[in-house]
Amino acid sequence: MSPVDAGGPALFIGTDTDYVALVRPALDPADPGVRAAAAEAGVPPEEFAGPGDVWMVMVETGGEGDGFELPGVRDVEPAGFAGTLRAELAAASGPFTVDGGAVLRLDARPAGANACAFTVRVTPPDDPGTTLTVETGPVPTAGLLADLDAFLGSLA
C-alpha cells in the first residue's frame, strides 16, 4: 500500500519512507473548498472537480518530503515512463535506467532475489539547478509490476 492517496492515478516507487510518486490528484466534490470554488464559478461541485488534469511529483526521503506540479504534462507522458519501466523491469537481468525527460530519471539495480533498488533523480521544473535524489531500499519486483499494470490501466 502506498503512503500517497491522490484519489486519481498514482504510481508509487519505493518504500514507506523513501519514495517518488507520480500522481494526478482528483478533487473531492464533497470538500468544502471545492464546493465553495464551484459555487463561485456557478457550476455543480461534481462538474468543477472533474477528473483532474494536473500531474504532480511527490518525493520523500528520510522522513522529509517535497512535491511540485508538472505543468503541461499529459497522461501520455507518465504512461510512457511507466510503460518503459514495466518493460525494463520485466526483462531486467541487471541494472537499467529509465529516462523520464527533464524532470525524472530512474536508475535500477537488482537488490536480492526478485527485488530492485532505485536511485531516482527529480528536477523541479521551476528550479532546474536543483536535483532531489531518492535512494530506495529493495522493492519487490512482482508488487511493482502489479502497481505498474494498475497505473497503466487507470490511464487507459
Side-chain angles (χ1 to χ4, degrees), residues 19-151:
Y19 65 84
V20 171
L22 286 171
V23 299
R24 189 182 72 199
L27 298 176
D28 180 359
D31 180 273
V34 171
R35 296 183 73 74
E40 188 175 309
V43 297
E46 295 76 16
E47 182 181 329
F48 184 82
D53 64 355
V54 176
W55 281 94
M56 297 181 67
V57 172
M58 299 177 76
V59 177
E60 184 163 329
T61 184
E64 297 293 321
D66 200 358
F68 52 86
E69 289 185 8
L70 298 172
V73 169
R74 301 175 328 260
D75 287 359
V76 69
E77 294 166 88
F81 176 81
T84 301
L85 176 56
R86 194 203 184 296
E88 290 285 350
L89 196 60
S93 60
F96 64 88
T97 297
V98 178
D99 186 356
V103 173
L104 185 63
R105 177 189 166 105
L106 179 141
D107 294 312
R109 61 197 172 282
N114 303 313
C116 281
F118 300 97
T119 301
V120 187
R121 290 174 185 80
V122 179
T123 304
D126 61 349
D127 190 4
T130 298
T131 299
L132 307 171
T133 302
V134 176
E135 295 280 348
T136 75
V139 176
T141 304
L144 183 53
L145 286 168
D147 290 348
L148 286 160
D149 288 341
F151 178 74

